[in-house]
Amino acid sequence: MTTKKVNNHSTHGLKPDCLSFGEVLAQSFAVIAPTTIPASNIGLIVALSGNGTWLSFLIGLIGLILVSININQFASRSASPGSLYSYIVKGLGPTAGVICGWSLVLAYLFTGMSVLCGFANFSSTLIGHLGIHPSSITLLAFGAGIAWYAAYKDIQLSAMAMLWLEGISLALILVLGGIIWAHKGFALDLPQLTLEGVTPGNVATGLVLVMFGFSGFESATSLGDEAKSPLKNIPKAVTGSAILAGLFFILMTYIEVLGFRDTGVSIIKTEEPLGFLSQQVGMGWLGELIAFGALFSFFACVLGCINPAARIFFLMARHGLFHSSLGSAHSSNRTPHIAVTLCTFIMFLVPAVMSLFHIKLFESMGYLGAICSYGFLTVYILISIAAPVYLRNIGQLRPINVVVSVLAVGFMAIPVLGSVGIPGSTLFPVPEAPYDAFPYLFLLYLAATCGWFIMQRFRSPEIVTSMQRGIDSIHARFEKPNTSYSSSPLNAISLDREDLE
C-alpha cells in the first residue's frame, strides 16, 4: 500500500499541531456543557419524559452516534478550521455549505448567548449571598471579557481552561452521584426501569430538550489546523464526546430521579437538584462545590462556543463570504483574533440588549437556547445527507452508509417535529408563544443570509470557484493515493500511525 505522509502545518496562519486528544475532546465537551444538565436543567426534561427520561437520553445518544458516523466520513479524511461548513461544501456544494455555515454560526453564537445568560444568572445568585448585587450587564460583560481573552490569546490556553473546568465539575458530580445511590442502597428503581406512566409521546417530547443538551458535540471539527494527528483525534473526539456525555446523562438521570423519590419534593420544581440531594445525604458542602462547578461550566461553554464560531467566520471570510479582515490570524498568538472579537461582542450585545428591555436572564437563556437548536438540527441533517453523496463521489459508497444516513435523518426528524409542532397533534403539539414563532424567525434568517449569498454570486461569480478551490485544496493535503479506507465508523483509527502524524 502506497501512502503519503500528511503535512498538517496550517496554511491559514493558525497555530498548528498544538492540541492533544484531551484538549480536542475538551472543545466538544465544553459546548455540550454536560455539568449543566444534572446541576440545573434535569427537571425540565423530567417534566416532559417522567420515568422515561433516561430512555429519551438513550435514544438521543443513538441518534447522535449515527450523526457522528456521518461526520467522521469527512473528519477521517480531511481537517480544517471550517468545521462542518467545509464538509458540506465538499459533499453538497457551495449553496448547501453556506446554509450550513450560517446555521452553525447562529447555533454557536446563540448557544454562547444562552449560557452567558446562565453564567450571569448563576453568578448573581451565588454572590448575592455575600450581599453583592452587580447589574446583569456587568456580569455579562465580565463573563464575555474573560472568555474573549482566553480565545484571543492562545487556543491552548482555551483548551486547557475548558479541560480543567469541565473535568473537575464532572468528577464532583459523579462522586456525589455515587454517594446518593449508595445512600439509597444501590436500589433498582423499578418505576424507571419499567417506564411506569410513560407514553411514547412523553419520550419523544423530552427528546427535544435532550438534543439541545447534546448540541455542540461536533465542535472539535473546527480545530482541524490546531489538533495533533487531526484525522485520528478529531473523529475520536466527536464520537467520544457524544458517547461519554450520553452515558453521563443516563447515569445521573437515573440517580437523581431515584434520589428524589419518596422525599416529598418534586425534581421538576427544584432549581438546584444536586444541591437538594447533597443536603439529603449530609454532604451539603459538596453541593456547594458543584454549584461553583456549574458556574465554571457555563463559562467553559461560552469559551467553547467562541472558538468554533470564530473559526467558521475565519474560513468563510477567506473564501470571500465576509470582509477579508475576518480571515486574518494574529501574527504572534496564531488565533483568528478579529473573528474572535466579533463573535464575543455579538454574544455579549444580544443578551445585554434583552436585559435593557427588562427580560430576565433565565427567560433570555430559554429563548436563546431554543433558537440555537434549529441551527444544530439543520446542520446535523445536512451532514447526514452529504456523507453518502460525498462517498459516492469518491467511489467508496457502501449500502451501510446509506442506511446510517437515513437512520440519522430519521432520528433528527423527531426533535424537529417536537420543536416545530404539528397543529392538532397530541404527540407533537405546537409550542406556546413565543416559542411557536422561533422556527419562522430561523427560516427568515436563512432566507436573508442565503439571499445575500445569491446576490454575491451574481455580482462576483468567482466566489463559488474560490470556495470550491479552497475546500479542494484542504482535502488535497490529506489525500493518500491507492489507499482504501476502513468501513468502520471511526475510519481514522484504522489508518497507519505514519499517515496521521
Side-chain angles (χ1 to χ4, degrees), residues 28-377:
S28 285
F29 247 70
V31 182
I32 296 173
T35 297
T36 61
I37 295 294
S40 63
N41 299 336
I42 187 66
L44 298 174
I45 306 174
V46 174
L48 299 175
S49 296
N51 287 317
T53 302
W54 68 270
L55 182 59
S56 292
F57 276 112
L58 178 60
I59 293 173
L61 172 59
I62 294 171
L64 289 181
I65 288 176
L66 292 170
V67 173
S68 75
I69 292 172
N70 290 312
I71 292 172
N72 287 345
Q73 297 294 354
F74 296 92
S76 62
R77 292 173 168 86
S78 70
S80 80
S83 184
L84 306 192
Y85 154 72
S86 61
Y87 298 159
I88 291 177
V89 170
K90 187 66 175 178
L92 297 179
T95 301
V98 168
I99 294 174
C100 171
W102 278 112
S103 296
L104 271 179
V105 164
L106 177 139
Y108 289 131
L109 289 180
F110 274 70
T111 298
M113 295 173 198
S114 178
V115 294
L116 183 59
C117 290
F119 171 85
N121 188 54
F122 219 75
S123 57
S124 177
T125 301
L126 289 177
I127 65 178
H129 296 311
L130 304 176
I132 303 173
H133 302 282
S135 68
S136 297
I137 293 180
T138 298
L139 293 171
L140 291 169
F142 179 75
I146 297 177
W148 167 82
Y149 177 79
Y152 179 95
K153 187 66 177 175
D154 187 357
I155 185 60
Q156 283 182 285
L157 173 63
S158 298
M160 289 302 297
M162 293 184 294
L163 182 64
W164 281 103
L165 292 175
E166 199 65 44
I168 292 173
S169 298
L170 292 175
L172 290 174
I173 290 177
L174 288 172
V175 169
L176 179 58
I179 293 171
I180 294 169
W181 199 7
H183 186 74
K184 290 286 185 176
F186 296 104
L188 295 177
D189 191 20
L190 292 180
Q192 288 193 80
L193 296 177
T194 59
L195 301 176
E196 182 180 298
V198 179
T199 66
N202 296 140
V203 175
T205 307
L207 188 58
V208 178
L209 291 180
V210 164
M211 293 304 299
F212 174 66
F214 278 102
S215 294
F217 78 102
E218 79 300 325
S219 61
T221 56
S222 66
L223 302 179
D225 278 12
E226 292 129 317
K228 296 178 181 178
S229 303
L231 303 189
K232 177 178 67 174
N233 287 335
I234 290 176
K236 285 170 60 180
V238 169
T239 302
S241 63
I243 292 174
L244 291 175
L247 294 177
F248 174 76
F249 289 148
I250 293 169
L251 174 64
M252 289 308 303
T253 295
Y254 177 85
I255 291 174
E256 289 186 69
V257 172
L258 171 63
F260 270 86
R261 203 171 304 285
D262 301 325
T263 63
V265 177
S266 172
I267 189 174
I268 296 171
K269 299 178 180 179
T270 306
E271 292 187 6
E272 296 183 29
L274 289 179
F276 171 80
L277 292 175
S278 67
Q279 296 287 345
Q280 293 292 299
V281 299
M283 301 286 288
W285 61 272
L286 185 53
E288 293 294 329
L289 281 179
I290 288 173
F292 278 102
L295 176 64
F296 290 125
S297 182
F298 279 121
F299 169 77
C301 187
V302 174
L303 177 56
C305 291
I306 291 173
N307 284 330
R311 280 154 180 77
I312 294 167
F313 267 126
F314 173 80
L315 192 61
M316 291 177 74
R318 294 177 74 89
H319 292 164
L321 296 173
F322 302 126
H323 192 276
S324 59
S325 62
L326 287 172
S328 62
H330 195 281
S331 58
S332 57
N333 295 341
R334 311 292 292 277
T335 59
H337 58 301
I338 297 178
V340 163
T341 302
L342 175 65
C343 289
T344 306
F345 177 71
I346 294 172
M347 282 187 190
F348 162 76
L349 180 63
V350 173
V353 170
M354 295 175 76
S355 180
L356 288 175
F357 281 91
H358 305 292
I359 301 175
K360 295 180 180 179
L361 288 171
F362 185 77
E363 293 176 348
S364 297
M365 183 179 179
Y367 297 154
L368 297 167
I371 293 173
C372 81
S373 64
Y374 298 112
F376 283 119
L377 288 170

